[in-house]
Each structure stands twice: as structure tokens, then as C-alpha cells.
Amino acid sequence: GQNIDQPTEMTATEGAIVQINCTYQTSGFNGLFWYQQHAGEAPTFLSYNVLDGLEEKGRFSSFLSRSKGYSYLLLKELQMKDSASYLCAYMDSNYQLIWGAGTKLIIKP
Amino acid sequence: ETGVTQTPRHLVMGMTNKKSLKCEQHLGHNAMYWYKQSAKKPLELMFVYNFKEQTENNSVPSRFSPECPNSSHLFLHLHTLQPEDSALYLCASSEGTPDSGANVLTFGAGSRLTVL
């Protein structure tokens, strides 16, 4: 079967660090994506991991462990503009994207 | 500007109306997608077009009818919808084909549909 899970909502403080987790179960895997979606706007691509390890892009990093079915998105030096929903999706063996329900991140001053 | 433009941004329609959603991309992408986004639910893939040919129809009710006249334009025709069809309809495009690994989607901002 196909299953993916991420927290519904998280709150963090401006300037801090937050880690958004995503777990999945699948028999076939072709990579994991993170997208950011501000309210009322288009989802935008953040990262793609297909091999184990950490990928860093400025303040954002994404980690993957294929053996554990686990990924996280790490946001450093949080800014108010980082308040958004973060969507996790893995690509299964048929190259279908399986999406999580998204994590709404609230940044407080 | 995301490169993918959707119109209208908001649409209210009765259950007996016929309306259409439009999506346009000038990114030179060859694949286009329709997704449904409901509150607190995962994105649901509805239709995929690859080089203007429909390659995916995820058991979508016939009251939703897609049309892809060329690789830059995608329509979603709506007819006799139900209140539960109220949602945000997102269009996306990709440079790669849907069956490629690192296939990054470029989304439009969506059309917010309310069915009364």
C-alpha cells in the first residue's frame, strides 16, 4: 500500500530552527519532494531527495533515510515569511506522486 | 510570477451550471496536470497530459472534462457539479515527462471553486 504522514500544524519562533518530519511506507520509491505553499498561492518546489543524506540549500535543508521511510525539512533562522504550508510527496515505483496532507507552519515574533 | 497562469481565480456556480477553468503555461513544458486540493487533505491528481495526449485519468467523475488543445493550454470543463466538488483546483506543468524521476512541478495559484 501507499501511506505518507506529516504533522498537521507546527508553531515556531522567528529566528529559531524548525524540523518538519515526513514518514512514508511504500514498496517502490523514486525520490521525495518538498514544496512550500503560502496561503492563496501556488505550491513552489523546495527540494528533491533520492539518495540518503542531507541536501542543503541556504536556510533550508532536506534529509532522507530510505531504509527508515523518513524525511525531514529543516528551516533555520526562521523569518515571518516562512509561515506557509509545507507539502511532502514521494514518487512511487510507477512515478506517481503520493502527497501528504501538508504541515501548516506558524511563525511567531 | 510562477509561469503558470490560471483563470478565473475564484468561481461560484450552481449545480446546473456549465463553466470552464483555464490554465496557460509559457515555460515550454510538455506535460500538464490538474490537481484538486481540499482543506487538510493531500493533493489529488485528476488528469495528466503529456505532449497533448491524456495519459492519466484518476477515476474522475465525468462531470469533470479536461481538454488540452496544445501543450501550452489546459482546460477543465465543469458540468452539474456537486457541493462536495468545492475545492481549489491547481494546474501544474513539468519539463520532464510524468514518468521521469526528478520531475519538478510548476504550479499555478489555483482556481477556488464553490458549488452552491
Side-chain angles (χ1 to χ4, degrees):
Chain A
Q2 298 170 329
N3 191 26
I4 182 166
D5 192 42
Q6 55 181 128
T8 302
E9 188 173 297
M10 299 181 71
T11 302
T13 305
E14 190 177 15
I17 299 173
V18 71
Q19 178 175 308
I20 303 174
N21 296 326
C22 175
T23 58
Y24 61 91
Q25 296 91 42
T26 181
S27 54
F29 180 81
N30 279 300
L32 188 135
F33 295 80
W34 285 96
Y35 283 78
Q36 178 192 58
Q37 186 178 22
H38 286 100
E41 297 184 14
T44 56
F45 169 75
L46 289 178
S47 67
Y48 171 70
N49 294 66
V50 67
L51 299 176
D52 290 351
L54 187 69
E55 298 270 348
E56 296 186 72
K57 278 187 186 180
R59 294 189 299 113
F60 290 14
S61 302
S62 57
F63 172 83
L64 176 67
S65 169
R66 289 171 295 170
S67 62
K68 295 183 180 178
Y70 170 65
S71 173
Y72 66 74
L73 184 68
L74 190 71
L75 291 73
K76 301 178 184 177
E77 302 169 16
L78 285 170
Q79 301 175 11
M80 298 303 292
K81 67 178 183 180
D82 297 329
S83 292
S85 288
Y86 291 86
L87 311 179
C88 168
Y90 72 85
M91 186 169 276
D92 69 11
S93 56
N94 295 319
Y95 296 98
Q96 298 269 3
L97 275 175
I98 310 301
W99 295 84
T103 299
K104 182 178 180 180
L105 178 62
I106 300 168
I107 309 298
K108 294 186 174 179
Chain B
E1 181 59 56
T2 64
V4 177
T5 305
Q6 291 188 240
T7 54
R9 291 294 310 274
H10 300 273
L11 178 63
V12 179
M13 59 187 290
M15 290 194 289
T16 58
N17 293 158
K18 286 185 181 180
K19 297 286 184 183
S20 296
L21 306 180
K22 179 182 177 182
C23 176
E24 187 173 353
Q25 60 92 4
H26 296 289
L27 300 169
H29 291 175
N30 294 306
M32 296 188 77
Y33 310 74
W34 278 117
Y35 276 93
K36 177 182 180 182
Q37 186 175 37
S38 302
K40 299 185 179 180
K41 290 186 177 180
L43 289 178
E44 297 175 45
L45 179 64
M46 300 175 72
F47 301 103
V48 181
Y49 279 81
N50 194 24
F51 291 95
K52 302 186 298 176
E53 299 297 319
Q54 185 175 314
T55 58
E56 191 81 34
N57 176 340
N58 265 3
S59 303
V60 180
S62 59
R63 57 185 184 269
F64 294 92
S65 174
E67 179 189 359
C68 188
N70 55 62
S71 57
S72 298
H73 294 85
L74 185 64
F75 295 89
L76 188 62
H77 303 300
L78 315 171
H79 178 50
T80 57
L81 295 191
Q82 305 298 311
E84 59 265 28
D85 296 323
S86 298
L88 182 68
Y89 288 84
L90 291 166
C91 174
S93 68
S94 66
E95 182 177 8
T97 57
D99 59 352
S100 58
N103 194 28
V104 176
L105 298 177
T106 301
F107 285 90
S111 293
R112 173 70 63 186
L113 174 67
T114 302
V115 182
L116 302 176

